Amino acid sequence: MSNFVKEFKEFALKGNVMDMAVGIIIGGAFGKIVTSFVNDVLMPPLGLLIGSNFTDSKIVLREAVMNGAEIVTPAVTLNWGMFVQTIVDFVLMALAIFLMIKGMNKLRKKQEEAPAEPAPDPADIALLKEIRDELRKR
């Protein structure tokens, strides 16, 4: 059993797993930012153009059955406004991730294009060896 625990500990504490955990946490927070942007900034003007609260847009397939003030059977609705909002969330999230990866690839490409140090000249190496040998003699 201790071998299993040891293997699990090695797996869980590897750098890749820790990096992935940090990425998931940051991704969740980023998702909240995008959702807030869509809900609080993008959708209100769009709803103003449409003339109603966009997220509340729906098609009622079957009305609710009421008994006075009590709902006997809830309404069945097709919530197309929420669906469109979710699509907008996804598109914005995908765009943000695309731009981030594109920027990272651009930085990586610049690093790869950086000129490598030139290889030492064999004549220089021979000269340095001679100087070293002379210094050892003294």
Side-chain angles (χ1 to χ4, degrees):
M1 186 66 168
S2 68
N3 194 23
F4 175 79
V5 172
K6 182 179 175 184
E7 285 182 47
F8 178 73
K9 185 177 177 182
E10 287 175 9
F11 167 76
L13 297 179
K14 280 186 180 176
N16 294 343
V17 174
M18 299 303 278
D19 291 344
M20 184 177 67
V22 170
I24 290 170
I25 292 167
I26 290 174
F30 183 71
K32 289 180 182 180
I33 291 170
V34 171
T35 300
S36 175
F37 174 72
V38 171
N39 292 344
D40 303 329
V41 177
L42 193 63
M43 287 304 182
L46 197 57
L48 194 61
L49 288 173
I50 292 174
S52 68
N53 186 350
F54 191 71
T55 58
D56 292 336
S57 299
K58 58 187 162 194
I59 298 171
V60 178
L61 301 175
R62 186 176 72 202
E63 294 289 334
V65 177
M66 305 289 287
N67 185 8
E70 181 185 344
I71 299 174
V72 177
T73 307
V76 178
T77 59
L78 188 74
N79 301 322
W80 66 270
M82 290 297 291
F83 178 70
V84 170
Q85 180 175 351
T86 303
I87 290 173
V88 171
D89 281 347
F90 171 78
V91 169
L92 288 176
M93 182 83 72
L95 178 65
I97 291 171
F98 170 75
L99 292 174
M100 185 174 64
I101 290 174
K102 186 174 180 173
M104 289 173 55
N105 287 341
K106 192 174 185 179
L107 287 174
R108 185 177 297 146
K109 188 175 181 181
K110 283 183 181 179
Q111 288 176 348
E112 289 174 0
E113 289 177 357
E117 287 190 29
D121 185 15
D124 290 341
I125 293 174
L127 181 61
L128 288 171
K129 284 181 180 179
E130 286 178 32
I131 294 170
R132 179 195 64 198
D133 293 342
E134 277 299 315
L135 288 172
R136 281 187 184 164
K137 288 180 185 177
R138 292 183 186 177

